[in-house]
């Protein structure tokens, strides 16, 4: 299939409007269209059409029990795909939507099993990105959209990366340049029994636990903390099937290191063993290391910059002859919690 590629960087121009209309037309016809959001690029398909959803799984090579997020442009669209809005969800809508957050609610009958992986809940998101909103509005349907990458790889944060993963497999790519946040939306489960002011964070993101805590009584985290919990969570299907798959991985195996001393020691050890090691480094430490392959994550004091560039930096090493990667962990608070979550998965849990 030939993938049509459109530049949508100049909002409101004739070229822009044509691209949005064409994208919407393809979506309505059951084809797939990749588009930018404020988090990462999404691979969109008609969220009410099971066949279109199956095409998403196929194009990405995604396991079919990993449910999709439905994207809407406004609250009117949102209310059509859920059967009930809890009080806690209302608070989240008022505070953070549109924005980089996804809410799990009981699903409406019109939502096909192909979207939810057979769950009786649905994940809904209202992106705060003009291209995404214009596309969804023009299509007039909820748009099912996981990240626009081959399953298991780092999510794409620009149009070229989408094209590298998916060109030839999908109908069109709307290239709107680099995304703002660079990591996926926060996912919160709002299906707790009525009257309890509680949410569970299923995936950390730019809307942080601290921000949610300011408006909601109890904020819990679902991420497994150790092997025993992880194994338990794998068996405890089907709370969030997506949590059981590895994600975001660069091609060379990556290991996280907790401090500079460990980084230097591990680098020496691997060099002696004849390994070609790639390093991800904070900008402050970058000049210190004399290696063939290294890249800067950004300043350790600027977590927003680190998040925005993270996936591109992970993918950078895919084109280089490295045997393994070392990467420092970032402070686990605020947006840092979301970055640590992605780093751990990208490293398959390897930590020194
Ligand atoms: P992505 O590949 O970035 O689109 O990831 C979508 C995430 O949303 C996956 O991790 C899913 O597990 C999660 N998700 C989607 N729908 C549901 C749902 N009904 N309940 C729990 N998690 C969901
Ligand atoms: Mg994804």
């Amino acid at each position: 299939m030939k993938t049509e590629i459109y530049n949508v960087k100049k909002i409101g121009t004739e070229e822009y409007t044509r691209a949005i209309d064409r994208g919407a037309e393809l979506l309505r016809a059951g084809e797939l269209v990749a588009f930018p959001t404020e988090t990462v690029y999404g691979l969109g398909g008609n969220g009410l059409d099971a066949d279109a959803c199956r095409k998403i799984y196929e194009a990405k090579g995604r396991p079919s029990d990993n449910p999709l997020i439905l994207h809407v442009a406004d609250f009117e669209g949102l209310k059509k795909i859920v059967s009930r809005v809890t009080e806690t969800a209302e608070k989240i809508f008022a505070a953070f939507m549109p924005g980089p957050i996804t809410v799990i609610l009981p699903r409406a009958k019109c939502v096909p099993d192909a979207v939810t992986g057979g769950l009786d809940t649905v994940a809904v998101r209202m992106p705060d990105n003009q291209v995404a909103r214009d596309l969804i509005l023009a299509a007039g349907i909820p748009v099912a959209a996981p990240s626009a990458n081959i399953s298991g790889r780092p999510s794409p944060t620009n149009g070229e990366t989408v094209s590298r993963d998916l060109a030839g497999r999908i109908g069109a790519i709307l290239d709107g340049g680099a995304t703002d946040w660079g990591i996926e939306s926060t996912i919160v489960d709002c299906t707790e029994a009525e009257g309890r002011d509680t949410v569970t964070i299923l995936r950390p993101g730019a809307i942080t636990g601290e921000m949610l805590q300011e408006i909601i009584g109890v904020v819990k985290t679902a991420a497994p903390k150790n092997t025993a919990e992880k194994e338990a969570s794998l068996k405890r299907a089907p709370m969030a099937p997506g949590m059981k798959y590895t994600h975001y991985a660069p091609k060379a195996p990556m290991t996280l290191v907790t401090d500079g001393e460990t980084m230097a020691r591990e680098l020496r050890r691997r060099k002696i063993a004849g390994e070609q090691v790639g390093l991800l480094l904070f900008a402050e430490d970058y000049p210190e290391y004399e290696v063939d392959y290294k890249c800067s994550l950004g300043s350790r004091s600027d977590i927003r910059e680190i998040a925005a560039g993270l996936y591109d930096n992970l993918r950078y090493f895919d084109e280089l002859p490295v045997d393994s990667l070392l990467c420092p962990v970032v402070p686990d608070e605020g947006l840092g919690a979301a970055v640590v979550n992605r780093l751990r998965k990208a490293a398959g849990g390897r930590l020194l």
Side-chain angles (χ1 to χ4, degrees):
M1 167 189 309
K2 175 146 176 26
T3 301
E4 302 165 22
I5 298 184
Y6 297 101
N7 182 325
V8 289
K9 288 171 191 158
K10 293 211 185 84
I11 291 172
T13 58
E14 217 175 282
E15 183 191 12
Y16 175 88
T17 310
R18 263 203 310 273
I20 295 289
D21 288 347
R22 176 64 181 152
E25 182 182 40
L26 286 167
L27 286 175
R28 278 194 307 269
E31 299 301 331
L32 306 186
V33 177
F35 60 95
T37 79
E38 77 275 37
T39 59
V40 301
Y41 273 71
L43 174 57
N46 181 346
L48 300 178
D49 173 357
D51 286 331
C53 295
R54 276 190 282 273
K55 283 188 191 169
I56 294 178
Y57 287 100
E58 207 177 301
K60 282 186 58 110
R62 182 179 173 104
S64 63
D65 63 346
N66 191 0
L68 305 172
I69 296 171
L70 286 188
H71 293 62
V72 296
D74 48 33
F75 289 105
E76 197 189 318
L78 190 153
K79 295 202 166 139
K80 287 185 190 151
I81 54 175
V82 303
S83 63
R84 192 163 56 87
V85 175
T86 61
E87 265 174 53
T88 328
E90 290 281 7
K91 286 192 196 171
I92 292 177
F93 294 174
F96 303 119
M97 273 194 184
I101 190 161
T102 296
V103 168
I104 309 284
L105 284 168
R107 74 154 140 172
K109 286 205 178 70
C110 63
V111 178
D113 281 345
V115 165
T116 67
L119 299 177
D120 53 10
T121 54
V122 61
V124 294
R125 170 156 138 71
M126 195 187 297
D128 185 17
N129 170 291
Q130 198 62 47
V131 177
R133 295 166 67 80
D134 286 345
L135 178 68
I136 299 164
L137 274 180
I141 44 171
V143 175
S147 49
N149 53 283
I150 296 291
S151 196
R153 309 263 301 123
S155 303
T157 54
N158 56 65
E160 294 88 70
T161 311
V162 176
S163 175
R164 227 170 287 136
D165 268 20
L166 297 176
R169 293 165 168 256
I170 63 177
I173 298 171
L174 304 187
D175 183 349
T179 59
D180 296 336
W181 289 102
I183 50 177
E184 304 79 356
S185 61
T186 306
I187 303 183
V188 290
D189 183 359
C190 291
T191 59
E192 288 258 344
E194 206 66 70
R196 257 186 281 164
D197 193 20
T198 306
V199 295
T200 303
I201 300 178
L202 301 181
R203 175 173 75 185
I207 304 298
T208 64
E210 292 87 337
M211 289 160 78
L212 287 162
Q213 183 68 63
E214 276 180 28
I215 59 158
I216 289 158
V218 183
V219 177
K220 296 189 280 190
T221 306
K225 291 189 181 60
N226 52 44
T227 319
E229 264 190 48
K230 195 170 176 185
E231 277 168 13
S233 85
L234 293 186
K235 288 178 195 140
R236 197 178 52 227
M239 181 59 228
M243 293 166 84
K244 81 182 186 203
Y245 298 104
T246 51
H247 257 96
Y248 323 122
K251 286 182 182 154
M254 182 167 88
T255 302
L256 299 179
V257 290
T258 44
D259 55 51
E261 212 178 298
T262 315
M263 171 80 87
R265 180 164 26 84
E266 188 59 17
L267 176 62
R268 264 197 314 277
R269 194 185 71 72
R270 291 184 184 203
K271 270 187 173 167
I272 291 167
E275 259 183 58
Q276 186 64 260
V277 186
L279 298 184
L280 293 116
L281 297 161
F282 293 122
E284 291 83 351
D285 304 331
Y286 185 85
E288 248 178 66
Y289 287 86
E290 285 178 24
V291 290
D292 290 341
Y293 305 112
K294 60 179 179 178
C295 102
S296 173
L297 290 164
S299 168
R300 59 155 60 71
S301 64
D302 188 351
I303 193 67
R304 179 107 200 222
E305 182 193 4
I306 293 177
L310 181 68
Y311 289 141
D312 250 14
N313 289 330
L314 291 176
R315 280 177 179 261
Y316 165 75
F317 291 99
D318 287 349
E319 313 304 322
L320 300 174
V322 290
D323 300 307
S324 65
L325 301 175
L326 294 174
C327 176
V329 274
V330 306
D332 195 356
E333 60 199 32
L335 183 60
V339 174
V340 171
N341 168 270
R342 305 317 190 269
L343 283 176
R344 279 181 189 279
K345 291 193 179 181
R350 283 178 296 272
L351 175 74
L352 291 172

